[in-house]
Amino acid sequence: MQNNSDKYILIIWDSMTGGSKAMAQAAANGACSDHDCPITVKMLHADDVSDDDMLSAAGYIFVFPERLAAISGPMKSFFDRTYYPCLGRIEARPYAMMICAGSDGDNAMRQGMRICQGWRLKPIDDNLIICTHAQTQQQIMADKIISADDLQKCHDRGAAMAAGLDMGLF
């Protein structure tokens, strides 16, 4: 998924049951779908992202599950760990946010948007919430299968980010 360009999209993800990871992978595939595109993709779990990763990236795709109506713990920890070291240093960079939710995902989305607003990042599109409708303990803990239509939406976000960076729109 990498080429020789200095520009790269950083896809930061967290997933407990596979849904968010599948969404992140679809976005990465979309960003890499144009073989002539000089944009590189770096996909890292939220626990593995450093300040340098954030500072070096040209744009970001944040992908995480909603847990208990909030940003997942590892993703929140990532934001806590990198927020102040990156504050004032990544302004105006583009971002997309994709949330895998059991019910509505709205609160997790609002939390993520507040953080991105504080960093002064620029959204490339409306945030994407994929709802699995998992409501029972068994459904919530089960591996998630994201529909082909929803994965295509994630793929399209990745492709839009790569195209926008390549054309200098972001």
Side-chain angles (χ1 to χ4, degrees):
M1 259 188 265
Q2 299 211 353
N3 60 31
N4 297 325
S5 174
D6 290 337
K7 282 187 178 181
Y8 74 88
I9 298 167
L10 179 58
I11 299 177
I12 303 159
W13 65 276
D14 175 47
S15 187
M16 189 167 78
T17 59
S20 296
K21 185 175 183 181
M23 292 165 58
Q25 188 62 60
N29 292 344
C32 297
S33 61
D34 181 355
H35 297 293
D36 294 329
C37 182
I39 306 298
T40 299
V41 174
K42 188 173 185 179
M43 192 170 135
L44 293 174
H45 185 272
D47 289 339
D48 300 324
V49 179
S50 71
D51 300 345
D52 287 339
D53 293 320
M54 288 294 292
L55 295 171
S56 299
Y60 314 96
I61 301 176
F62 304 108
V63 189
F64 54 91
E66 173 193 52
R67 291 194 195 144
L68 300 173
I71 292 173
S72 67
M75 198 68 172
K76 176 68 168 68
S77 178
F78 149 74
F79 284 128
D80 288 342
R81 194 177 64 253
T82 60
Y83 185 82
Y84 290 107
C86 295
L87 188 62
R89 301 172 74 189
I90 59 173
E91 292 177 357
R93 294 184 191 179
Y95 83 94
M97 187 180 314
M98 302 186 300
I99 299 162
C100 186
S103 52
D104 65 22
D106 289 337
N107 194 50
M109 179 188 63
R110 278 191 300 278
Q111 290 173 326
M113 287 174 58
R114 280 291 286 198
I115 294 163
C116 292
Q117 182 182 17
W119 269 334
R120 307 285 191 275
L121 300 178
K122 303 292 182 190
I124 67 164
D125 202 345
D126 290 336
N127 296 308
L128 179 62
I129 298 173
I130 303 297
C131 191
T132 66
H133 305 287
Q135 296 299 302
T136 67
Q137 179 182 359
Q138 184 178 3
Q139 292 170 336
I140 291 166
M141 298 307 294
D143 289 344
K144 301 297 180 288
I145 307 281
I146 306 300
S147 74
D149 287 344
D150 286 336
L151 289 175
Q152 184 63 48
K153 293 174 189 173
C154 299
H155 179 279
D156 293 347
R157 289 293 192 297
M161 176 71 78
L165 286 170
D166 187 36
M167 294 186 294
L169 297 176
F170 311 130

